Structure formats: C-alpha cells, structure tokens
Amino acid sequence: MGADRSVKAKEHAPRTESDARHHANLADLTLVLGLAVAAAMFCLAYTVLNPLAQLEEVTEVELRRQWADGSIVLRLTTLGFCGILIWKAIDCLRRISGVEGKPHEFEKETSPLTPRLSDDDRRLRDFCQSGFFVAALFLLWLMYAEGVRAPATAALAWTFAFFSDDWIITSDYSRVLKGRLLRSHRWRMMAANVTLLVILNMVVWEEWGWSGMLGTDAILLPLLLGRRQADKR
C-alpha cells in the first residue's frame, strides 16, 4: 500500500524541474495578464467615456488647454497602446492553449536561431514590461481624473507616448529573435522605466505624500523585478 501511494504521488508531481518552472511561469503570467488587461480596459473606458460626458464643454480653448497639458496626446496613445495590449494578450492565451496564429514576418528565416529565452520566459518578461507601462498609464489617468495638471504630468504623457510605441516594436522584434533584445532597445527601455518611475514618484509624492508614493512603488517595482528575473533565466 505504501509503495502504491508513493508511485501515485510521483505520477501527480511535476516530472522535471522544467515542468515546475513552466507551471510557475504560467501562474505569474496569468496574474500579470489579468491585472494588465483590467488596467487597460479601465484606461480605454475612461479615455472614451470621459470626453463623451463633457461634449458641451469642448471648445477651441478647451482643446488647446488639453493639448498643452498632454491630455489629447495621452488619449490617442491610450487608444493605441491599450488596444494592442489587449489584442496581444488574447493572442498569447490562444498560443498557450495550442492555437497557433499566422507566422510573424521573418519568423521562418530566424527559426534556426537558438532561443535565448523560452517562450514562457519571454512572454512573462514582455508582459511584465507592458504591465509596467499600463500601470503607469493607469496612475496617470487617475491623476488627471483628480484634476492634477502640471508640467510634470504633461512630460509624463509625452514620455509615455514615445516609449510605449517603441516598446510595441521592440517586443515584436524580441519574439521573432527568440527572446533577444537589441542593445539599443535595452537602453531605451531602461531610460523609459527610470524616467516614468522617477517623474511619477515626484508627482505622486507632491500630490498624495509618502503613502501615495509607497503605493505607486508597490505597484510598479514588482513588475520591473519580474521583468528582470524572467530576462535572466
């Protein structure tokens, strides 16, 4: 009886270390994907519904003010980035489920490349980075909803617009190159993460104090840590 139980336990346990790692990655990816998609849907809803509720107040003067404070840039960027993020999340879930999509450009040419990261690690790294961007976007829209308007928030809107578009291109390259990131892409992402983190902390500390800053870091830093760990596996 004891031997039979031991055999059954071994059958239900992960067969190899890679199996255990796959399950851990899948759990982390599910959490990151769920939070990122939820934040993206909030940002999309606010971007679309808020102007509709204020149509009577839209004047030429108001449009100029929104251009100056970064609101228009942020709205356009939100529509593009969050829409692509949700589409990529759906595509990721389909591929995990075994439903293969169309091959990406140059995928056949680069198929002989030795993977730098497994698909699990690459997906986790890339969605942690995307989650960092959408979390920063969520916090930025939260500040706009609270009426926070400052040169720093305008700078954040333009910074996000530039680097989020850059990241979409970088992640597509990374997938085709099997987890590899070009050196210039790595430096740009590092600059994006540091810039967004520092300016966000400055604005949040000025508006909401130490508690707000700690809450901001509690959201953003684990995503950067998850990205770093997945990239080094």
Side-chain angles (χ1 to χ4, degrees):
M1 291 294 292
D4 292 339
R5 290 179 181 175
S6 177
V7 171
K8 289 181 180 180
K10 289 182 180 179
E11 289 176 353
H12 289 288
R15 295 181 181 178
T16 64
E17 184 179 346
S18 62
D19 291 332
R21 185 166 154 187
H22 169 73
H23 290 299
N25 273 358
L26 192 59
D28 292 340
L29 180 61
T30 302
L31 178 61
V32 172
L33 268 182
L35 294 175
V37 169
M41 292 180 69
F42 167 84
C43 294
L44 279 175
Y46 187 85
T47 298
V48 173
L49 297 178
N50 179 254
L52 293 178
Q54 300 176 356
L55 282 177
E56 296 179 357
E57 301 177 12
V58 177
T59 62
E60 184 178 350
V61 174
E62 177 63 17
L63 289 175
R64 287 179 179 176
R65 183 192 67 80
Q66 290 193 16
W67 177 260
D69 67 20
S71 298
I72 293 178
V73 172
L74 197 62
R75 289 186 195 282
L76 294 175
T77 307
T78 298
L79 292 173
F81 181 76
C82 291
I84 291 173
L85 173 61
I86 293 172
W87 178 82
K88 283 181 174 286
I90 294 172
D91 182 64
C92 175
L93 292 175
R94 290 176 70 250
R95 288 179 181 272
I96 289 175
S97 302
V99 180
E100 288 296 331
K102 295 180 180 179
H104 286 248
E105 190 176 7
F106 303 122
E107 196 163 354
K108 292 182 180 179
E109 290 83 346
T110 57
S111 57
L113 278 177
T114 302
R116 179 185 174 273
L117 293 176
S118 67
D119 284 340
D120 287 342
D121 289 333
R122 179 187 55 77
R123 289 183 184 120
L124 182 58
R125 181 200 63 189
D126 290 356
F127 276 106
C128 279
Q129 180 65 62
S130 297
F132 174 84
F133 277 126
V134 79
L137 183 64
F138 173 84
L139 292 167
L140 192 51
W141 274 123
L142 195 61
M143 287 188 282
Y144 272 88
E146 291 288 324
V148 179
R149 300 287 192 280
T153 55
L156 278 170
W158 285 99
T159 300
F160 182 85
F162 177 78
F163 284 116
S164 62
D165 180 67
D166 207 32
W167 170 241
I168 291 170
I169 298 171
T170 298
S171 62
D172 285 340
Y173 268 99
S174 175
R175 177 176 179 176
V176 174
L177 296 176
K178 299 187 177 182
R180 292 170 176 82
L181 290 174
L182 300 179
R183 184 177 299 176
S184 60
H185 290 169
R186 285 186 180 276
W187 280 107
R188 284 202 288 271
M189 284 306 101
M190 185 182 299
N193 294 337
V194 171
T195 302
L196 288 171
L197 189 63
V198 170
I199 300 179
L200 266 174
N201 271 293
M202 289 171 55
V203 178
V204 168
W205 177 78
E206 185 176 346
E207 296 296 328
W208 298 324
W210 285 105
S211 59
M213 192 173 76
L214 291 174
T216 297
D217 289 340
I219 296 171
L220 298 178
L221 291 179
L223 290 167
L224 290 181
L225 181 61
R227 178 198 184 283
R228 179 185 175 87
Q229 289 179 337
D231 195 35
K232 289 194 171 184
R233 288 174 182 172

